[in-house]
Amino acid sequence: MGEFASSSGVPRRKLLRDGAIIAAAVPPLLAVGEQVASAAIPAYDPQQRFIRLVGGGSGVIHAIQADGALYWYRHLGWQTGSASWASGSGRRIGSGWNGFRAVFGGTEGSLYALRGDGVLLYYRYRLSNGTTGVGTWITGGQIGSGFDRYPRVFGFNGDIYGQTAEGELYLHRWDLVTKTWTVDGARIGSGFKGTICQADTNGVIYAYNFGDIYWYRHLGGGTWASGSAFRVGSGFRNFWINDGVWFTGQGALYAIPPNSPTSSQTGSLREYRLTNYVTAGTDNRASWINRGTGLTVGNGWTMQTQAALQGYPNTPSVAQGELVRIAVSTGLPSVSAAMVRLAPAAGAPEQVSQSFSVATGVQALPKGYLTVGCNWSDRIQFRIPADWQPGLYAARLEGPSGLRRYVPFVVRPVQPTNKIAVLLPTFTYNAYNSWGGHNQYCSDLTGPRPLSLRRPSTELNVEDPAMFDHTLWSDLMLTRWMTRQGYAFDCYEDADLHASGAWLTKYQVLVLGSHPEYWTDAMRQQLVNYQAGGGRLIYPGGNGIYERVRVNSARTVVTYRRSDGKRDYYTALGLPASQLVGTNYIAAGSYAPYRVVRDHSLLAGTGLVVGSRFGATGYNKGASGWEMDAMRGLAGEAAPSQVIAMGENPGGEGAAMVFMEKANGALVFSASAISFVGALDSDPAMSILFRNVFDRMLASGQPVQATEAPMPRTSPAPGVPEASSME
């Protein structure tokens, strides 16, 4: 591979684009103010080596390793996509860079590092030799604070953008000459909700949304170039699932595709380059090298943005008084933890334990970790106090620079403490969890798709993600609303219902999540029995009880799809969701308000009458949105007299809001849309309507009788077409 001398005269191996590591005997070159990590900290895991690629323009890439090492690369072939790298590529130039929330680049070696507490630091690596990467660090330090008010921050060349949860964009511009902020928090645009943004030179911004990349260019003030919001690329979804799309300046984009979930990751690095990146939207065309086909320029660039600090619960559901066990892997020199309550809580997480230290060190991944689990050892074992309120909790992990991660888990009651139980749809969370490069929707997968529950997750957002969300954050919006309204509840997760229905019969009301899509046969039968005994059900979501999955005996792996790789729909088995909730999945991808179609007692106090619209806006846009359920002529569907409101979605495919009363006292309310809960705080009338639902469910309740209902047939239902989901 070749040799070159270090500053100490000790020969060392050169780090090329294949990702090989420098000999450990060589001391690192440090960024100003950074400390060398302890020698006791294990090396990075080759399966998840880098956490971030930071562009420096003209082919320069600063790669941050999971253990905090900062490497300098220069891709000489960046303009054409040739696999040509400067001889010094892979030079280690710093340490301690893994504790930052974000790092942005710039030309001439500028690096902006954002701490978890909102403090922004500036450093500059001034090259002495643009081929070998030899250079020196120029004194830097803190240049700003308060950036923690933005859920998302990105930037390039001193233009730092803050993106709010509502999708508004604020500009902060740092001038390297005057060392001042020439623009400090100017609102420059809106409409960026649901996008992941990166910046380039000349005010260019790229916004990613569901595989598509859109071009914007900010000209100053509130002015944007003509053609802004022009789509310049598509088909990048699998790369983004792998945390592997990085713009590094001047239109250069590097993507890291995932490998098969049963193989080791190779870290293939592909380059795309938008040659007219300054004018793409104005030109109304996107000019990509190689006609938009990626060119492989290196290997060994395995990526996992959480790898500096990550964890998962080995015991995702524990009873009061039991031991919660949490696996942690980290390259940080020190980590503290505290237990926080997420639900019931009206707002931000509530700390409920003292802080304590967590053992550090990287835990390597076994081969096939997506399907067999990470198999990491516990780093936290915490005895849950017997008097803790049942609900959803998390271990909050924090590094020395304020980098935070949350590891949620459920605390079950030894005996029910409330009339209401909330069932968190963790099998759906797992289906969409793309940590490690795949979820069950990836197009390169075939056959059945076993995915382990024992791995970190991309779907467990505890702090506002500033993105449309249909998994945990959406369900936190639901439970926070319940807490503010005074509805006390206990908490369970899908595996609890799969294991037993005994606990369910002790509750008067069961509340499902916003997207309870995946169920086992055992879970479904427990719900059938519950309703047969008079149980009452609130379904505030959409596309629920839609697809059958299988769970192994240890309840650690969920297998999605049939042996032939096709989806295992309950409607095709003659068991449509309508038998339980009155509606069936019908459509996806549009958003609208509901319109009242029938006078009903649940409208009392809302001011709504027939023809009134409600739920026009919300966190996830219109309340009848994302994925919706209605009538498809299948068994058990609500009668027209039981429909309160309909979503005004295009094509008559809006959600059907229904309320059903059964002879045995069982009640069912179905909002029938994923977006419903996100609009509760935006529409007082809808919030009152939902309060009326809870009050009706809790009124005149009789204890649920444990009833073993007949097992419905599971033969395919002839002639029933399946609606197509967004995935």
Side-chain angles (χ1 to χ4, degrees), residues 133-479:
V134 172
T136 56
W137 286 100
I138 298 175
T139 301
Q142 180 175 334
I143 61 172
S145 61
F147 287 91
D148 52 339
R149 66 183 179 273
Y150 299 119
R152 292 186 177 272
V153 184
F154 61 98
F156 196 86
N157 252 10
D159 284 349
I160 310 298
Y161 302 90
Q163 184 179 348
T164 69
E166 297 74 28
E168 295 183 329
L169 211 58
Y170 290 82
L171 173 64
H172 302 258
R173 175 168 292 155
W174 176 253
D175 188 282
L176 287 178
V177 177
T178 63
K179 295 181 173 53
T180 60
W181 292 100
T182 58
V183 180
D184 195 8
R187 183 182 180 277
I188 60 172
S190 61
F192 288 87
K193 176 72 174 284
T195 63
I196 299 172
C197 296
Q198 295 187 39
D200 205 329
T201 56
N202 300 97
V204 172
I205 294 172
Y206 309 101
Y208 164 79
N209 187 18
F210 286 105
D212 295 333
I213 298 175
Y214 295 87
W215 176 94
Y216 296 80
R217 187 181 175 200
H218 178 234
L219 299 178
T223 305
W224 294 81
S226 62
S228 288
F230 177 69
R231 189 176 71 170
V232 294
S234 61
F236 286 89
R237 189 166 189 179
N238 275 7
F239 295 121
W240 236 286
I241 279 177
N242 196 41
D243 291 326
V245 177
W246 304 91
F247 283 95
T248 61
Q250 295 153 298
L253 181 159
Y254 294 88
I256 303 170
N259 293 106
S260 164
T262 59
S263 68
S264 298
Q265 301 297 304
T266 62
S268 174
L269 186 68
R270 298 182 191 172
E271 190 199 4
Y272 302 76
R273 182 167 180 258
L274 183 65
T275 59
N276 64 334
Y277 74 98
V278 177
T279 59
T282 305
D283 297 342
N284 198 32
R285 65 179 180 85
S287 178
W288 293 91
I289 59 172
N290 201 35
R291 297 182 178 180
T293 301
L295 294 163
T296 299
V297 297
N299 289 292
W301 295 77
T302 58
M303 177 70 64
Q304 176 53 253
T305 56
Q306 296 184 30
L309 178 60
Q310 54 190 342
Y312 64 89
N314 279 317
T315 51
S317 177
V318 296
Q320 294 163 309
E322 291 185 347
L323 197 70
V324 63
R325 299 186 297 108
I326 294 172
V328 178
S329 176
T330 179
L332 297 174
S334 63
V335 173
S336 64
M339 296 299 176
V340 296
R341 181 168 55 228
L342 308 179
E350 301 171 358
Q351 184 168 331
V352 291
S353 80
Q354 293 183 339
S355 296
F356 52 90
S357 296
V358 178
T360 57
V362 171
Q363 301 203 57
L365 295 171
K367 185 176 180 179
Y369 54 87
L370 288 174
T371 57
V372 302
C374 293
N375 197 31
W376 291 343
S377 300
D378 300 336
R379 290 278 171 80
I380 296 174
Q381 293 188 354
F382 184 92
R383 180 73 62 184
I384 301 299
D387 60 353
W388 268 21
Q389 188 175 5
L392 180 64
Y393 290 76
R396 184 179 64 206
L397 311 174
E398 188 166 343
S401 293
L403 180 66
R404 285 185 174 182
R405 298 279 190 264
Y406 291 86
V407 182
F409 60 91
V410 167
V411 173
R412 309 186 311 271
V414 174
Q415 294 293 331
T417 59
N418 296 293
K419 295 181 179 181
I420 301 172
V422 172
L423 181 68
L424 294 173
T426 49
F427 292 169
T428 299
Y429 302 165
N430 190 55
Y432 287 90
N433 178 12
S434 59
W435 180 91
H438 280 85
N439 60 32
Q440 86 104 344
Y441 299 100
C442 289
S443 58
D444 63 329
L445 300 181
T446 58
R449 299 168 188 193
L451 292 174
S452 174
L453 293 161
R454 301 300 184 264
R455 57 190 174 117
S457 180
T458 60
E459 299 305 304
L460 304 182
N461 291 311
V462 170
E463 296 177 343
D464 193 332
M467 293 287 292
F468 301 120
D469 189 288
H470 63 118
T471 49
L472 179 61
W473 180 255
S474 190
D475 292 331
L476 284 178
M477 287 190 285
L478 169 66
T479 57

